[in-house]
C-alpha cells in the first residue's frame, strides 16, 4: 500500500464535527444506531461500508436533510442538530451531481453566492477562482449536458466550495464514473483537500478509495460504526470479523483458544501476535500476501498442511489456492517480483505459514 504524507499545508482551526450517540429510526427499523464520531478540523475521514449500512443517513443528518431520532450533531462545539441545511454552512456533494440543467457552469457555481446576496464583482472573482481550482476555468459557459460525468462532478465540487464552508460532505461523489476516471478524480480531491484545508467527510463503499484518501476510516455495518482508525490499522489490525472481511481479502481459519494456546483445525499449535486471552472458539485472520507456502516441508514443520489446488497469474502477483487436510480453502498471494526458491505447482503438498505479527485472532 502506498503511504502518503497526510498533513495539510495550513492547519485549519474551524470545521470540527462531533456526532454524539445519533440514532435514526424509520418506524421499527433502525438505520443508524448510536453512532458517535469526532472529526478534527481539516481531517479527511471516510464512512466506509456496504450498501444499506447507514452511511448516507449519517451524512444527511450532518447536512441537515435528515434529523436524528435521538442524539446530537455539533459543529465546532455548536449544537446544530435541529438547524435546516441552509443554516449549517456545510458544502454537500451528491453522487448524481444535482446540477441545475438550465444553468451554465458559472451560473451553477454562482448559485450559493446569489442565495447569500454576494455582490457581482466579488461573486465573479470567487466563481473564477474556484473554477480554476477544479480545472474548469475554460468551460464556464457550458451547460451540464455538454460535459462528461467527471467534469460535472467537478462543477458540483466547485459549487460546494465557492461559499468557503469549513466542512465538505461528499456522498459517493465518484460512484457514477468509470474506474480510471475515479482514480484520477480521487487524487484530485485529495490534492484539493490539502490546498483548501477543509474538513472532508467522504462516503464510499469502495475500500480502496477509503484507504487511499483518508486520514481515518470509519467502517459502518448495520447502522453502527465498527471501527475508526487510520487506514493502516483498519487493514492490519481489524477490530472484528466484519472489518477484516470487508476491507481487503483475508483467510479466516477457525481456531480454539485454550490456556494461551491457539489450536488450529487439526489440533496443531498456531501463532498470532494479536490474540485475546479468553478461552473458546475464535478465528485467526491472515492476509493472502502474508500467507507463505512451503513446498516439500519437513514432517515436523509447523503451520497448516494442505495441497495446492490452483494458481492464477494476475500480473503483479500469482494467487495460489490451497486445500488443507481439514478441508479449509486458503489463499496465498505471492508477488512476482522475486520468485520463491520452489514455485508451488498444482497438486504439490505444502505447508501454509505466516509471521506471528501478521496474524490476528478475533472472537467476533
Ligand atoms: N426514508 C427512509 N425510510 C425507510 N428506510 C430508509 C429510509 N432511508 C434509508 N432507509 C434505510 O436505512 C438503511 C440505511 O440506508 P442508507 O443510509 O441510505 O445506507 P447506505 O448509504 O450505507 O447505502 C437502509 O436499509 C435503507 O433502506
Ligand atoms: Mg448511500
Amino acid at each position: 500500500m502506498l503511504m502518503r504524507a497526510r498533513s495539510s499545508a495550513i492547519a485549519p482551526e474551524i470545521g470540527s464535527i462531533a456526532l454524539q450517540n445519533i440514532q435514526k429510526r424509520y418506524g421499527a427499523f433502525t438505520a443508524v444506531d448510536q453512532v458517535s464520531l469526532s472529526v478534527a478540523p481539516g481531517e479527511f475521514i471516510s464512512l466506509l461500508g456496504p450498501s444499506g449500512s447507514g452511511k448516507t443517513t449519517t451524512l444527511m443528518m450532518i447536512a441537515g436533510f435528515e434529523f436524528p431520532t435521538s442524539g446530537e450533531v455539533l459543529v465546532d462545539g455548536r449544537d446544530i442538530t435541529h438547524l435546516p441545511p441552509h443554516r449549517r454552512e456545510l458544502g454537500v456533494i451528491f453522487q448524481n451531481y444535482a446540477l441545475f440543467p438550465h444553468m451554465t457552469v458559472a451560473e451553477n457555481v454562482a448559485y450559493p453566492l446569489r442565495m447569500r446576496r454576494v455582490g457581482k464583482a466579488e461573486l465573479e472573482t470567487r466563481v473564477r477562482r474556484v473554477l480554476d481550482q477544479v480545472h474548469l476555468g475554460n468551460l464556464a459557459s457550458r451547460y451540464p449536458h455538454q460535459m462528461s460525468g467527471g467534469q460535472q462532478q467537478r462543477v458540483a465540487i466547485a459549487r460546494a466550495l465557492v461559499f468557503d464552508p469549513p466542512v465538505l460532505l461528499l456522498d459517493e461523489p465518484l460512484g457514477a464514473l468509470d474506474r480510471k476516471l475515479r482514480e484520477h478524480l480521487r487524487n484530485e480531491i485529495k490534492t484539493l483537500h490539502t490546498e483548501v484545508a477543509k474538513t472532508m467527510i467522504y462516503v464510499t463503499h469502495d475500500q480502496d478509495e477509503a484507504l487511499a484518501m483518508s486520514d481515518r476510516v470509519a467502517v459502518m455495518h448495520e447502522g453502527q460504526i465498527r471501527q475508526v482508525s487510520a487506514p493502516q490499522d483498519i487493514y492490519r489490525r481489524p477490530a472484528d470479523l466484519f472489518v477484516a472481511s470487508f476491507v481487503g481479502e483475508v483467510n479466516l481459519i477457525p481456531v480454539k483458544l485454550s490456556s494461551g494456546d491457539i489450536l488450529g483445525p487439526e489440533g496443531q499449535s498456531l501463532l498470532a501476535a494479536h490474540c485475546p486471552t479468553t478461552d473458546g472458539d475464535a478465528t485467526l485472520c491472515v492476509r493472502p500476501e502474508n500467507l507463505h507456502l512451503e513446498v516439500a516441508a519437513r514432517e515436523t514443520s509447523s503451520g497448516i498442511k494442505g495441497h495446492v489446488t490452483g494458481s492464477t497469474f494476475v500480473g503483479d502477483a500469482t494467487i495460489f489456492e490451497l486445500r488443507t487436510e481439514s478441508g479449509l480453502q486458503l489463499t496465498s498471494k505471492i508477488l512476482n517480483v522475486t520468485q520463491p526458491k520452489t514455485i508451488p505447482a498444482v497438486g504439490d503438498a505444502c505447508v501454509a505459514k505466516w509471521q506471528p505479527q501478521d496474524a490476528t485472532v478475533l472472537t467476533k
Side-chain angles (χ1 to χ4, degrees):
M1 192 170 38
L2 290 175
M3 308 282 236
R4 66 164 93 224
R6 293 180 189 279
S7 59
S8 294
I10 327 146
E13 284 165 8
I14 55 167
S16 76
I17 301 269
L19 306 180
Q20 297 179 339
N21 288 317
I22 55 167
Q23 190 181 48
K24 180 67 181 180
R25 282 198 301 268
Y26 294 107
F29 178 73
T30 305
V32 173
D33 190 10
Q34 303 292 341
V35 161
S36 294
L37 181 67
S38 292
V39 186
E43 192 174 16
F44 193 117
I45 193 161
S46 292
L47 303 181
L48 170 69
S51 175
S53 56
K55 307 181 296 293
T56 294
T57 308
T58 302
L59 200 74
M60 290 302 115
M61 289 190 282
I62 303 172
F65 295 105
E66 293 281 0
F67 295 96
T69 311
S70 59
E72 282 88 49
V73 182
L74 311 184
V75 173
D76 293 324
R78 190 167 68 106
D79 188 342
I80 59 156
T81 315
H82 303 288
L83 282 187
H86 65 272
R87 294 196 43 213
R88 297 190 181 202
E89 296 290 310
L90 307 175
V92 187
I93 294 147
F94 302 96
Q95 176 172 347
N96 56 5
Y97 323 135
L99 299 177
F100 303 113
H102 59 287
M103 290 185 195
T104 64
V105 167
E107 287 163 356
N108 262 284
V109 174
Y111 184 81
L113 299 178
R114 279 195 213 292
M115 290 290 98
R116 289 167 176 78
R117 304 191 188 288
V118 172
K120 188 165 185 290
E122 194 194 336
L123 179 145
E124 282 174 2
T125 310
R126 285 170 73 168
V127 168
R128 208 175 311 122
R129 190 172 57 213
V130 77
L131 281 178
D132 283 342
Q133 257 174 343
V134 298
H135 314 295
L136 285 179
N138 53 344
L139 300 181
S141 55
R142 288 229 188 144
Y143 286 89
H145 73 269
Q146 298 170 316
M147 310 182 84
S148 70
Q151 290 168 335
Q152 290 186 50
Q153 197 54 287
R154 285 202 192 93
V155 179
I157 293 170
R159 190 177 57 181
L161 276 173
V162 75
F163 64 95
D164 205 23
V167 180
L168 284 193
L169 307 174
L170 304 100
D171 192 358
E172 311 236 11
L174 310 181
L177 308 175
D178 65 54
R179 191 185 162 78
K180 266 270 177 277
L181 192 56
R182 282 177 79 104
E183 285 177 11
H184 179 72
L185 269 178
R186 178 208 278 185
N187 292 333
E188 273 193 20
I189 293 176
K190 223 13 234 182
T191 307
L192 195 67
H193 173 247
T194 313
E195 285 170 6
V196 299
K198 293 186 186 301
T199 309
M200 294 199 183
I201 304 185
Y202 189 95
V203 161
T204 182
H205 66 273
D206 183 325
Q207 35 152 321
D208 292 341
E209 213 165 270
L211 294 179
M213 297 178 84
S214 313
D215 296 317
R216 286 188 303 155
V217 178
V219 182
M220 292 194 72
H221 183 50
E222 295 176 340
Q224 296 177 335
I225 292 184
R226 293 299 190 86
Q227 185 172 6
V228 190
S229 300
Q232 292 87 340
D233 293 333
I234 293 280
Y235 190 77
R236 294 203 190 119
R237 298 293 314 277
D240 64 23
L241 285 171
F242 174 78
V243 176
S245 313
F246 187 71
V247 183
E249 303 294 321
V250 69
N251 290 294
L252 301 175
I253 300 166
V255 295
K256 275 202 167 31
L257 303 180
S258 171
S259 336
D261 280 336
I262 306 169
L263 302 175
E266 287 105 41
Q268 71 273 58
S269 191
L270 301 177
L271 298 171
H274 315 289
C275 186
T277 51
T278 48
D279 280 359
D281 290 336
T283 306
L284 186 147
C285 306
V286 56
R287 303 282 180 194
E289 68 271 26
N290 294 324
L291 190 85
H292 310 294
L293 300 183
E294 206 175 291
V295 187
R298 281 167 288 124
E299 249 328 278
T300 54
S301 191
S302 68
I304 300 186
K305 293 194 184 76
H307 280 85
V308 178
T309 56
S311 77
T312 311
F313 175 78
V314 294
D316 60 341
T318 304
I319 312 292
F320 294 93
E321 300 297 332
L322 181 84
R323 193 172 167 80
T324 71
E325 288 176 358
S326 65
L328 267 183
Q329 202 70 41
L330 301 178
T331 304
S332 164
K333 177 177 180 177
I334 298 180
L335 282 180
N336 291 330
V337 190
T338 48
Q339 293 292 355
K341 278 188 229 94
T342 331
I343 303 160
V346 173
D348 277 355
C350 59
V351 175
K353 293 184 158 186
W354 54 87
Q355 297 294 321
Q357 68 268 23
D358 293 329
T360 301
V361 175
L362 297 169
T363 54
K364 60 171 173 43

